[in-house]
Amino acid sequence: MNNIKTILKDHYDIDIINALSQQGGWSALAYKVFNNQHTYFLKAYEKSRASTPKWTALIDKYVPIMIWLLHHSDLKGKIPLPLLTKNGDYKCEDDDRIYLLYEYIDGETIGDKDLTKEQACQLSEIITELHLYGEEIPIETDAIKEDFTVPFLQQLRNFLDEEITHFSSDVREVINPHIEQLNNLIDTTEKLSKSLKYSNLRMSLCHTDIHHWNLMQCEQQLMLIDWEGLKLAPVEADIMFLIDKPYYDEFMRIYQKFHKNFTINTDALQFYQGRRKLEDIWELIEQLLFDDQDVQERVKTINYLTGSLKDIRK
Ligand SMILES: Nc1ncnc2c1ncn2[C@@H]1O[C@H](COP(=O)(O)OP(=O)(O)O)[C@@H](O)[C@H]1O
Ligand SMILES: [Mg+2]
């Protein structure tokens, strides 16, 4: 609590009276912080976690784009509002964590629930609007441009070929039955990654992590949160999350009003589906390898890993 008070005071000039730990997401700890006038949402990325650099390296690149969208697109009120430090920085840090401050959204996370028809429509409108913007916006997008690399592939291969033999037996038992499938997925994804690099596909701003834990209902409006993955990419990077949803046809009807003659590029789609699966699996393996987990956390991670490995076939 005290270090959070200090961070808010020193970097944002905000005096808070309390900080309540919130059920965080995948990448960071989260706090509801407030005083008598105002409520904020503070995301805190722990420097000790292996995945933190992946989530925080691009904060200075994607937050300005969010702010541009808030001012120049129809997404105002539909995406979170990041707040800058008193020096105009997009983030700040102490010895242990990197912090990002947002306006608090007083709403309900969709989470495990299904979307209503109205919510599905609003999500479709948000994605349709987002994809109207690309590299022509007056904010630099180079740093978030898709290059189709899968940086961890070699590490994952090495792991499956060698390091796995030193892993404890509980984890080996979970992974072993899936090694062949996993290697096949690595090979296909790598081939697609090479061919897509030369394909000159049109790229748009994409959220790249659309799921119900990143959606909140706030009064009459559905909001899409968690923009850490903002990319300039082929739109399949987003469409992959919608394609198996019951509201996909309705989404396409809305989408094609503004993106006339749109058709899916199946290579891009397959690449994103493959890369996502491999990313989830590698992230979990990394946690088991490098993070300082207690027994309970470890069991949870192994369960997630079991689920992700079963998903390879889908
Ligand atoms: N600005 C906000 N105001 C209130 N709650 C929020 C806000 N942003 C996120 N949340 C809540 O915190 C959870 C985790 O936030 P998210 O940005 O998705 O973090 P992660 O990157 O860790 O998934 C969300 O599912 C949502 O319930
Ligand atoms: Mg999230």
Side-chain angles (χ1 to χ4, degrees), residues 260-292:
K260 296 233 178 330
N261 306 320
F262 169 77
T263 53
I264 286 203
N265 179 303
T266 47
D267 279 356
L269 183 68
Q270 199 189 354
F271 170 73
Y272 282 120
Q273 288 172 328
R275 187 172 75 175
R276 175 79 178 191
K277 285 178 185 170
L278 293 172
E279 251 166 19
D280 289 348
I281 291 167
W282 179 240
E283 163 108 30
L284 293 164
I285 294 176
E286 265 195 320
Q287 281 180 19
L288 293 168
L289 281 172
F290 305 122
D291 284 0
D292 197 10

PDB file of all heavy atoms in Angstrom, residues 260-292:
ATOM      1  N   LYS A 260     -15.523  -3.052 -47.319  1.00  0.00           N
ATOM      2  CA  LYS A 260     -16.223  -3.681 -48.445  1.00  0.00           C
ATOM      3  C   LYS A 260     -15.336  -4.737 -49.086  1.00  0.00           C
ATOM      4  O   LYS A 260     -14.123  -4.593 -49.138  1.00  0.00           O
ATOM      5  CB  LYS A 260     -16.581  -2.613 -49.481  1.00  0.00           C
ATOM      6  CG  LYS A 260     -17.550  -1.575 -48.973  1.00  0.00           C
ATOM      7  CD  LYS A 260     -18.747  -1.449 -49.902  1.00  0.00           C
ATOM      8  CE  LYS A 260     -19.805  -0.479 -49.468  1.00  0.00           C
ATOM      9  NZ  LYS A 260     -20.063  -0.212 -48.092  1.00  0.00           N
ATOM     10  N   ASN A 261     -15.951  -5.799 -49.557  1.00  0.00           N
ATOM     11  CA  ASN A 261     -15.250  -6.878 -50.262  1.00  0.00           C
ATOM     12  C   ASN A 261     -14.182  -7.564 -49.415  1.00  0.00           C
ATOM     13  O   ASN A 261     -13.252  -8.146 -49.939  1.00  0.00           O
ATOM     14  CB  ASN A 261     -14.570  -6.366 -51.537  1.00  0.00           C
ATOM     15  CG  ASN A 261     -15.544  -5.643 -52.425  1.00  0.00           C
ATOM     16  OD1 ASN A 261     -16.694  -6.080 -52.552  1.00  0.00           O
ATOM     17  ND2 ASN A 261     -15.117  -4.529 -53.017  1.00  0.00           N
ATOM     18  N   PHE A 262     -14.300  -7.445 -48.102  1.00  0.00           N
ATOM     19  CA  PHE A 262     -13.291  -8.097 -47.276  1.00  0.00           C
ATOM     20  C   PHE A 262     -13.409  -9.617 -47.366  1.00  0.00           C
ATOM     21  O   PHE A 262     -14.496 -10.176 -47.284  1.00  0.00           O
ATOM     22  CB  PHE A 262     -13.449  -7.675 -45.806  1.00  0.00           C
ATOM     23  CG  PHE A 262     -12.604  -8.513 -44.895  1.00  0.00           C
ATOM     24  CD1 PHE A 262     -11.241  -8.288 -44.808  1.00  0.00           C
ATOM     25  CD2 PHE A 262     -13.167  -9.564 -44.168  1.00  0.00           C
ATOM     26  CE1 PHE A 262     -10.437  -9.084 -43.995  1.00  0.00           C
ATOM     27  CE2 PHE A 262     -12.374 -10.357 -43.356  1.00  0.00           C
ATOM     28  CZ  PHE A 262     -11.013 -10.117 -43.274  1.00  0.00           C
ATOM     29  N   THR A 263     -12.294 -10.273 -47.577  1.00  0.00           N
ATOM     30  CA  THR A 263     -12.270 -11.734 -47.433  1.00  0.00           C
ATOM     31  C   THR A 263     -11.071 -12.119 -46.572  1.00  0.00           C
ATOM     32  O   THR A 263     -10.071 -11.411 -46.532  1.00  0.00           O
ATOM     33  CB  THR A 263     -12.129 -12.465 -48.790  1.00  0.00           C
ATOM     34  OG1 THR A 263     -10.997 -11.906 -49.459  1.00  0.00           O
ATOM     35  CG2 THR A 263     -13.361 -12.349 -49.638  1.00  0.00           C
ATOM     36  N   ILE A 264     -11.219 -13.244 -45.927  1.00  0.00           N
ATOM     37  CA  ILE A 264     -10.166 -13.681 -45.004  1.00  0.00           C
ATOM     38  C   ILE A 264      -8.972 -14.233 -45.763  1.00  0.00           C
ATOM     39  O   ILE A 264      -9.130 -14.963 -46.739  1.00  0.00           O
ATOM     40  CB  ILE A 264     -10.740 -14.746 -44.058  1.00  0.00           C
ATOM     41  CG1 ILE A 264     -11.640 -14.054 -43.054  1.00  0.00           C
ATOM     42  CG2 ILE A 264      -9.646 -15.547 -43.388  1.00  0.00           C
ATOM     43  CD1 ILE A 264     -11.856 -14.793 -41.790  1.00  0.00           C
ATOM     44  N   ASN A 265      -7.783 -13.890 -45.320  1.00  0.00           N
ATOM     45  CA  ASN A 265      -6.575 -14.507 -45.840  1.00  0.00           C
ATOM     46  C   ASN A 265      -6.291 -15.732 -44.962  1.00  0.00           C
ATOM     47  O   ASN A 265      -5.947 -15.612 -43.782  1.00  0.00           O
ATOM     48  CB  ASN A 265      -5.417 -13.507 -45.770  1.00  0.00           C
ATOM     49  CG  ASN A 265      -4.133 -14.119 -46.285  1.00  0.00           C
ATOM     50  OD1 ASN A 265      -3.672 -15.152 -45.801  1.00  0.00           O
ATOM     51  ND2 ASN A 265      -3.547 -13.486 -47.288  1.00  0.00           N
ATOM     52  N   THR A 266      -6.448 -16.910 -45.551  1.00  0.00           N
ATOM     53  CA  THR A 266      -6.392 -18.120 -44.716  1.00  0.00           C
ATOM     54  C   THR A 266      -4.988 -18.403 -44.172  1.00  0.00           C
ATOM     55  O   THR A 266      -4.843 -18.960 -43.093  1.00  0.00           O
ATOM     56  CB  THR A 266      -6.907 -19.359 -45.492  1.00  0.00           C
ATOM     57  OG1 THR A 266      -6.301 -19.358 -46.776  1.00  0.00           O
ATOM     58  CG2 THR A 266      -8.404 -19.329 -45.644  1.00  0.00           C
ATOM     59  N   ASP A 267      -3.958 -17.987 -44.912  1.00  0.00           N
ATOM     60  CA  ASP A 267      -2.592 -18.165 -44.392  1.00  0.00           C
ATOM     61  C   ASP A 267      -2.383 -17.327 -43.134  1.00  0.00           C
ATOM     62  O   ASP A 267      -1.839 -17.801 -42.134  1.00  0.00           O
ATOM     63  CB  ASP A 267      -1.547 -17.727 -45.429  1.00  0.00           C
ATOM     64  CG  ASP A 267      -1.302 -18.806 -46.455  1.00  0.00           C
ATOM     65  OD1 ASP A 267      -1.899 -19.905 -46.304  1.00  0.00           O
ATOM     66  OD2 ASP A 267      -0.535 -18.572 -47.401  1.00  0.00           O
ATOM     67  N   ALA A 268      -2.816 -16.070 -43.208  1.00  0.00           N
ATOM     68  CA  ALA A 268      -2.650 -15.188 -42.048  1.00  0.00           C
ATOM     69  C   ALA A 268      -3.437 -15.745 -40.865  1.00  0.00           C
ATOM     70  O   ALA A 268      -2.950 -15.787 -39.734  1.00  0.00           O
ATOM     71  CB  ALA A 268      -3.110 -13.772 -42.388  1.00  0.00           C
ATOM     72  N   LEU A 269      -4.650 -16.205 -41.144  1.00  0.00           N
ATOM     73  CA  LEU A 269      -5.477 -16.750 -40.068  1.00  0.00           C
ATOM     74  C   LEU A 269      -4.799 -17.957 -39.412  1.00  0.00           C
ATOM     75  O   LEU A 269      -4.688 -18.046 -38.190  1.00  0.00           O
ATOM     76  CB  LEU A 269      -6.844 -17.146 -40.620  1.00  0.00           C
ATOM     77  CG  LEU A 269      -7.827 -17.676 -39.576  1.00  0.00           C
ATOM     78  CD1 LEU A 269      -8.246 -16.569 -38.616  1.00  0.00           C
ATOM     79  CD2 LEU A 269      -9.052 -18.282 -40.239  1.00  0.00           C
ATOM     80  N   GLN A 270      -4.323 -18.865 -40.255  1.00  0.00           N
ATOM     81  CA  GLN A 270      -3.682 -20.077 -39.727  1.00  0.00           C
ATOM     82  C   GLN A 270      -2.411 -19.731 -38.943  1.00  0.00           C
ATOM     83  O   GLN A 270      -2.117 -20.322 -37.899  1.00  0.00           O
ATOM     84  CB  GLN A 270      -3.342 -21.021 -40.881  1.00  0.00           C
ATOM     85  CG  GLN A 270      -3.117 -22.444 -40.400  1.00  0.00           C
ATOM     86  CD  GLN A 270      -2.558 -23.356 -41.477  1.00  0.00           C
ATOM     87  OE1 GLN A 270      -2.432 -22.973 -42.655  1.00  0.00           O
ATOM     88  NE2 GLN A 270      -2.211 -24.557 -41.099  1.00  0.00           N
ATOM     89  N   PHE A 271      -1.676 -18.747 -39.450  1.00  0.00           N
ATOM     90  CA  PHE A 271      -0.468 -18.308 -38.752  1.00  0.00           C
ATOM     91  C   PHE A 271      -0.816 -17.798 -37.350  1.00  0.00           C
ATOM     92  O   PHE A 271      -0.202 -18.196 -36.356  1.00  0.00           O
ATOM     93  CB  PHE A 271       0.239 -17.210 -39.551  1.00  0.00           C
ATOM     94  CG  PHE A 271       1.357 -16.552 -38.791  1.00  0.00           C
ATOM     95  CD1 PHE A 271       2.558 -17.229 -38.577  1.00  0.00           C
ATOM     96  CD2 PHE A 271       1.208 -15.281 -38.259  1.00  0.00           C
ATOM     97  CE1 PHE A 271       3.595 -16.635 -37.859  1.00  0.00           C
ATOM     98  CE2 PHE A 271       2.243 -14.682 -37.536  1.00  0.00           C
ATOM     99  CZ  PHE A 271       3.428 -15.361 -37.345  1.00  0.00           C
ATOM    100  N   TYR A 272      -1.818 -16.920 -37.269  1.00  0.00           N
ATOM    101  CA  TYR A 272      -2.161 -16.350 -35.965  1.00  0.00           C
ATOM    102  C   TYR A 272      -2.695 -17.409 -35.002  1.00  0.00           C
ATOM    103  O   TYR A 272      -2.394 -17.388 -33.815  1.00  0.00           O
ATOM    104  CB  TYR A 272      -3.160 -15.204 -36.127  1.00  0.00           C
ATOM    105  CG  TYR A 272      -2.467 -13.953 -36.595  1.00  0.00           C
ATOM    106  CD1 TYR A 272      -2.797 -13.337 -37.788  1.00  0.00           C
ATOM    107  CD2 TYR A 272      -1.437 -13.400 -35.836  1.00  0.00           C
ATOM    108  CE1 TYR A 272      -2.129 -12.200 -38.218  1.00  0.00           C
ATOM    109  CE2 TYR A 272      -0.765 -12.272 -36.253  1.00  0.00           C
ATOM    110  CZ  TYR A 272      -1.117 -11.676 -37.438  1.00  0.00           C
ATOM    111  OH  TYR A 272      -0.438 -10.567 -37.853  1.00  0.00           O
ATOM    112  N   GLN A 273      -3.491 -18.335 -35.545  1.00  0.00           N
ATOM    113  CA  GLN A 273      -4.020 -19.375 -34.659  1.00  0.00           C
ATOM    114  C   GLN A 273      -2.875 -20.242 -34.122  1.00  0.00           C
ATOM    115  O   GLN A 273      -2.822 -20.559 -32.941  1.00  0.00           O
ATOM    116  CB  GLN A 273      -5.044 -20.239 -35.414  1.00  0.00           C
ATOM    117  CG  GLN A 273      -6.337 -19.463 -35.657  1.00  0.00           C
ATOM    118  CD  GLN A 273      -7.318 -20.177 -36.571  1.00  0.00           C
ATOM    119  OE1 GLN A 273      -6.897 -20.913 -37.469  1.00  0.00           O
ATOM    120  NE2 GLN A 273      -8.603 -19.955 -36.364  1.00  0.00           N
ATOM    121  N   GLY A 274      -1.946 -20.582 -35.003  1.00  0.00           N
ATOM    122  CA  GLY A 274      -0.807 -21.414 -34.592  1.00  0.00           C
ATOM    123  C   GLY A 274       0.099 -20.682 -33.621  1.00  0.00           C
ATOM    124  O   GLY A 274       0.473 -21.213 -32.575  1.00  0.00           O
ATOM    125  N   ARG A 275       0.421 -19.439 -33.959  1.00  0.00           N
ATOM    126  CA  ARG A 275       1.338 -18.687 -33.097  1.00  0.00           C
ATOM    127  C   ARG A 275       0.748 -18.474 -31.702  1.00  0.00           C
ATOM    128  O   ARG A 275       1.437 -18.591 -30.696  1.00  0.00           O
ATOM    129  CB  ARG A 275       1.698 -17.332 -33.722  1.00  0.00           C
ATOM    130  CG  ARG A 275       2.773 -16.618 -32.923  1.00  0.00           C
ATOM    131  CD  ARG A 275       3.295 -15.380 -33.599  1.00  0.00           C
ATOM    132  NE  ARG A 275       2.354 -14.282 -33.520  1.00  0.00           N
ATOM    133  CZ  ARG A 275       2.610 -13.046 -33.954  1.00  0.00           C
ATOM    134  NH1 ARG A 275       3.782 -12.775 -34.526  1.00  0.00           N
ATOM    135  NH2 ARG A 275       1.712 -12.099 -33.861  1.00  0.00           N
ATOM    136  N   ARG A 276      -0.555 -18.196 -31.660  1.00  0.00           N
ATOM    137  CA  ARG A 276      -1.212 -17.981 -30.372  1.00  0.00           C
ATOM    138  C   ARG A 276      -1.111 -19.233 -29.486  1.00  0.00           C
ATOM    139  O   ARG A 276      -0.799 -19.158 -28.303  1.00  0.00           O
ATOM    140  CB  ARG A 276      -2.674 -17.621 -30.620  1.00  0.00           C
ATOM    141  CG  ARG A 276      -3.525 -17.475 -29.384  1.00  0.00           C
ATOM    142  CD  ARG A 276      -3.283 -16.136 -28.753  1.00  0.00           C
ATOM    143  NE  ARG A 276      -4.131 -15.951 -27.586  1.00  0.00           N
ATOM    144  CZ  ARG A 276      -4.278 -14.800 -26.969  1.00  0.00           C
ATOM    145  NH1 ARG A 276      -3.640 -13.733 -27.397  1.00  0.00           N
ATOM    146  NH2 ARG A 276      -5.040 -14.683 -25.919  1.00  0.00           N
ATOM    147  N   LYS A 277      -1.382 -20.379 -30.086  1.00  0.00           N
ATOM    148  CA  LYS A 277      -1.305 -21.621 -29.308  1.00  0.00           C
ATOM    149  C   LYS A 277       0.107 -21.837 -28.777  1.00  0.00           C
ATOM    150  O   LYS A 277       0.310 -22.183 -27.616  1.00  0.00           O
ATOM    151  CB  LYS A 277      -1.707 -22.817 -30.183  1.00  0.00           C
ATOM    152  CG  LYS A 277      -3.198 -22.895 -30.417  1.00  0.00           C
ATOM    153  CD  LYS A 277      -3.552 -24.050 -31.331  1.00  0.00           C
ATOM    154  CE  LYS A 277      -5.039 -24.011 -31.648  1.00  0.00           C
ATOM    155  NZ  LYS A 277      -5.407 -24.955 -32.695  1.00  0.00           N
ATOM    156  N   LEU A 278       1.099 -21.631 -29.659  1.00  0.00           N
ATOM    157  CA  LEU A 278       2.492 -21.834 -29.245  1.00  0.00           C
ATOM    158  C   LEU A 278       2.904 -20.822 -28.174  1.00  0.00           C
ATOM    159  O   LEU A 278       3.610 -21.162 -27.227  1.00  0.00           O
ATOM    160  CB  LEU A 278       3.428 -21.730 -30.454  1.00  0.00           C
ATOM    161  CG  LEU A 278       3.267 -22.847 -31.493  1.00  0.00           C
ATOM    162  CD1 LEU A 278       4.107 -22.547 -32.735  1.00  0.00           C
ATOM    163  CD2 LEU A 278       3.662 -24.203 -30.909  1.00  0.00           C
ATOM    164  N   GLU A 279       2.431 -19.582 -28.330  1.00  0.00           N
ATOM    165  CA  GLU A 279       2.755 -18.551 -27.344  1.00  0.00           C
ATOM    166  C   GLU A 279       2.231 -18.922 -25.957  1.00  0.00           C
ATOM    167  O   GLU A 279       2.952 -18.804 -24.966  1.00  0.00           O
ATOM    168  CB  GLU A 279       2.065 -17.238 -27.739  1.00  0.00           C
ATOM    169  CG  GLU A 279       2.983 -16.161 -28.226  1.00  0.00           C
ATOM    170  CD  GLU A 279       2.201 -15.038 -28.902  1.00  0.00           C
ATOM    171  OE1 GLU A 279       0.969 -14.908 -28.691  1.00  0.00           O
ATOM    172  OE2 GLU A 279       2.821 -14.310 -29.678  1.00  0.00           O
ATOM    173  N   ASP A 280       0.972 -19.363 -25.922  1.00  0.00           N
ATOM    174  CA  ASP A 280       0.380 -19.744 -24.628  1.00  0.00           C
ATOM    175  C   ASP A 280       1.181 -20.873 -23.999  1.00  0.00           C
ATOM    176  O   ASP A 280       1.475 -20.858 -22.806  1.00  0.00           O
ATOM    177  CB  ASP A 280      -1.081 -20.191 -24.821  1.00  0.00           C
ATOM    178  CG  ASP A 280      -1.989 -19.009 -25.151  1.00  0.00           C
ATOM    179  OD1 ASP A 280      -1.538 -17.856 -25.012  1.00  0.00           O
ATOM    180  OD2 ASP A 280      -3.145 -19.250 -25.560  1.00  0.00           O
ATOM    181  N   ILE A 281       1.521 -21.855 -24.821  1.00  0.00           N
ATOM    182  CA  ILE A 281       2.251 -23.018 -24.303  1.00  0.00           C
ATOM    183  C   ILE A 281       3.639 -22.604 -23.810  1.00  0.00           C
ATOM    184  O   ILE A 281       4.063 -22.970 -22.711  1.00  0.00           O
ATOM    185  CB  ILE A 281       2.341 -24.117 -25.392  1.00  0.00           C
ATOM    186  CG1 ILE A 281       0.936 -24.704 -25.620  1.00  0.00           C
ATOM    187  CG2 ILE A 281       3.350 -25.201 -25.015  1.00  0.00           C
ATOM    188  CD1 ILE A 281       0.803 -25.573 -26.856  1.00  0.00           C
ATOM    189  N   TRP A 282       4.337 -21.792 -24.588  1.00  0.00           N
ATOM    190  CA  TRP A 282       5.689 -21.379 -24.195  1.00  0.00           C
ATOM    191  C   TRP A 282       5.662 -20.510 -22.936  1.00  0.00           C
ATOM    192  O   TRP A 282       6.477 -20.653 -22.040  1.00  0.00           O
ATOM    193  CB  TRP A 282       6.398 -20.666 -25.350  1.00  0.00           C
ATOM    194  CG  TRP A 282       7.772 -20.202 -24.969  1.00  0.00           C
ATOM    195  CD1 TRP A 282       8.240 -18.922 -24.976  1.00  0.00           C
ATOM    196  CD2 TRP A 282       8.868 -21.010 -24.506  1.00  0.00           C
ATOM    197  NE1 TRP A 282       9.542 -18.882 -24.556  1.00  0.00           N
ATOM    198  CE2 TRP A 282       9.956 -20.151 -24.248  1.00  0.00           C
ATOM    199  CE3 TRP A 282       9.029 -22.391 -24.268  1.00  0.00           C
ATOM    200  CZ2 TRP A 282      11.194 -20.607 -23.782  1.00  0.00           C
ATOM    201  CZ3 TRP A 282      10.264 -22.837 -23.791  1.00  0.00           C
ATOM    202  CH2 TRP A 282      11.323 -21.964 -23.557  1.00  0.00           C
ATOM    203  N   GLU A 283       4.676 -19.619 -22.864  1.00  0.00           N
ATOM    204  CA  GLU A 283       4.547 -18.771 -21.679  1.00  0.00           C
ATOM    205  C   GLU A 283       4.388 -19.628 -20.412  1.00  0.00           C
ATOM    206  O   GLU A 283       5.003 -19.366 -19.373  1.00  0.00           O
ATOM    207  CB  GLU A 283       3.340 -17.851 -21.866  1.00  0.00           C
ATOM    208  CG  GLU A 283       2.829 -17.207 -20.596  1.00  0.00           C
ATOM    209  CD  GLU A 283       3.121 -15.714 -20.506  1.00  0.00           C
ATOM    210  OE1 GLU A 283       3.196 -15.061 -21.551  1.00  0.00           O
ATOM    211  OE2 GLU A 283       3.264 -15.229 -19.369  1.00  0.00           O
ATOM    212  N   LEU A 284       3.585 -20.686 -20.505  1.00  0.00           N
ATOM    213  CA  LEU A 284       3.370 -21.554 -19.347  1.00  0.00           C
ATOM    214  C   LEU A 284       4.633 -22.348 -19.010  1.00  0.00           C
ATOM    215  O   LEU A 284       5.004 -22.486 -17.843  1.00  0.00           O
ATOM    216  CB  LEU A 284       2.188 -22.498 -19.617  1.00  0.00           C
ATOM    217  CG  LEU A 284       0.829 -21.782 -19.719  1.00  0.00           C
ATOM    218  CD1 LEU A 284      -0.219 -22.679 -20.357  1.00  0.00           C
ATOM    219  CD2 LEU A 284       0.360 -21.319 -18.335  1.00  0.00           C
ATOM    220  N   ILE A 285       5.314 -22.827 -20.049  1.00  0.00           N
ATOM    221  CA  ILE A 285       6.564 -23.558 -19.807  1.00  0.00           C
ATOM    222  C   ILE A 285       7.598 -22.622 -19.166  1.00  0.00           C
ATOM    223  O   ILE A 285       8.288 -23.009 -18.218  1.00  0.00           O
ATOM    224  CB  ILE A 285       7.107 -24.175 -21.114  1.00  0.00           C
ATOM    225  CG1 ILE A 285       6.150 -25.266 -21.620  1.00  0.00           C
ATOM    226  CG2 ILE A 285       8.498 -24.762 -20.912  1.00  0.00           C
ATOM    227  CD1 ILE A 285       6.521 -25.883 -22.959  1.00  0.00           C
ATOM    228  N   GLU A 286       7.649 -21.395 -19.664  1.00  0.00           N
ATOM    229  CA  GLU A 286       8.585 -20.421 -19.074  1.00  0.00           C
ATOM    230  C   GLU A 286       8.283 -20.181 -17.595  1.00  0.00           C
ATOM    231  O   GLU A 286       9.197 -20.097 -16.777  1.00  0.00           O
ATOM    232  CB  GLU A 286       8.455 -19.070 -19.795  1.00  0.00           C
ATOM    233  CG  GLU A 286       9.445 -18.868 -20.915  1.00  0.00           C
ATOM    234  CD  GLU A 286       9.504 -17.403 -21.332  1.00  0.00           C
ATOM    235  OE1 GLU A 286       8.433 -16.753 -21.389  1.00  0.00           O
ATOM    236  OE2 GLU A 286      10.609 -16.920 -21.607  1.00  0.00           O
ATOM    237  N   GLN A 287       7.005 -20.076 -17.289  1.00  0.00           N
ATOM    238  CA  GLN A 287       6.651 -19.869 -15.875  1.00  0.00           C
ATOM    239  C   GLN A 287       7.164 -21.029 -15.025  1.00  0.00           C
ATOM    240  O   GLN A 287       7.714 -20.833 -13.949  1.00  0.00           O
ATOM    241  CB  GLN A 287       5.133 -19.771 -15.713  1.00  0.00           C
ATOM    242  CG  GLN A 287       4.585 -18.414 -16.096  1.00  0.00           C
ATOM    243  CD  GLN A 287       3.069 -18.344 -15.929  1.00  0.00           C
ATOM    244  OE1 GLN A 287       2.461 -19.135 -15.222  1.00  0.00           O
ATOM    245  NE2 GLN A 287       2.452 -17.388 -16.589  1.00  0.00           N
ATOM    246  N   LEU A 288       6.983 -22.248 -15.551  1.00  0.00           N
ATOM    247  CA  LEU A 288       7.430 -23.416 -14.787  1.00  0.00           C
ATOM    248  C   LEU A 288       8.949 -23.465 -14.678  1.00  0.00           C
ATOM    249  O   LEU A 288       9.510 -23.891 -13.678  1.00  0.00           O
ATOM    250  CB  LEU A 288       6.912 -24.705 -15.449  1.00  0.00           C
ATOM    251  CG  LEU A 288       5.396 -24.899 -15.403  1.00  0.00           C
ATOM    252  CD1 LEU A 288       4.964 -26.031 -16.319  1.00  0.00           C
ATOM    253  CD2 LEU A 288       4.939 -25.178 -13.972  1.00  0.00           C
ATOM    254  N   LEU A 289       9.616 -23.007 -15.735  1.00  0.00           N
ATOM    255  CA  LEU A 289      11.082 -23.055 -15.747  1.00  0.00           C
ATOM    256  C   LEU A 289      11.705 -21.963 -14.889  1.00  0.00           C
ATOM    257  O   LEU A 289      12.652 -22.208 -14.143  1.00  0.00           O
ATOM    258  CB  LEU A 289      11.598 -22.872 -17.174  1.00  0.00           C
ATOM    259  CG  LEU A 289      11.558 -24.053 -18.135  1.00  0.00           C
ATOM    260  CD1 LEU A 289      11.939 -23.593 -19.531  1.00  0.00           C
ATOM    261  CD2 LEU A 289      12.486 -25.156 -17.679  1.00  0.00           C
ATOM    262  N   PHE A 290      11.187 -20.743 -15.022  1.00  0.00           N
ATOM    263  CA  PHE A 290      11.925 -19.598 -14.481  1.00  0.00           C
ATOM    264  C   PHE A 290      11.255 -18.872 -13.322  1.00  0.00           C
ATOM    265  O   PHE A 290      11.929 -18.208 -12.549  1.00  0.00           O
ATOM    266  CB  PHE A 290      12.190 -18.560 -15.591  1.00  0.00           C
ATOM    267  CG  PHE A 290      12.893 -19.132 -16.772  1.00  0.00           C
ATOM    268  CD1 PHE A 290      12.335 -19.055 -18.040  1.00  0.00           C
ATOM    269  CD2 PHE A 290      14.122 -19.758 -16.627  1.00  0.00           C
ATOM    270  CE1 PHE A 290      12.984 -19.577 -19.147  1.00  0.00           C
ATOM    271  CE2 PHE A 290      14.783 -20.289 -17.728  1.00  0.00           C
ATOM    272  CZ  PHE A 290      14.218 -20.205 -18.985  1.00  0.00           C
ATOM    273  N   ASP A 291       9.920 -18.903 -13.228  1.00  0.00           N
ATOM    274  CA  ASP A 291       9.275 -18.103 -12.186  1.00  0.00           C
ATOM    275  C   ASP A 291       9.362 -18.815 -10.838  1.00  0.00           C
ATOM    276  O   ASP A 291       9.419 -20.035 -10.762  1.00  0.00           O
ATOM    277  CB  ASP A 291       7.809 -17.833 -12.542  1.00  0.00           C
ATOM    278  CG  ASP A 291       7.673 -16.763 -13.616  1.00  0.00           C
ATOM    279  OD1 ASP A 291       8.716 -16.250 -14.061  1.00  0.00           O
ATOM    280  OD2 ASP A 291       6.535 -16.459 -14.007  1.00  0.00           O
ATOM    281  N   ASP A 292       9.347 -17.990  -9.804  1.00  0.00           N
ATOM    282  CA  ASP A 292       9.426 -18.513  -8.462  1.00  0.00           C
ATOM    283  C   ASP A 292       7.999 -18.810  -8.006  1.00  0.00           C
ATOM    284  O   ASP A 292       7.341 -17.959  -7.438  1.00  0.00           O
ATOM    285  CB  ASP A 292      10.058 -17.410  -7.599  1.00  0.00           C
ATOM    286  CG  ASP A 292      10.561 -17.977  -6.308  1.00  0.00           C
ATOM    287  OD1 ASP A 292      10.586 -19.217  -6.183  1.00  0.00           O
ATOM    288  OD2 ASP A 292      10.914 -17.172  -5.426  1.00  0.00           O
TER     289      ASP A 292
END
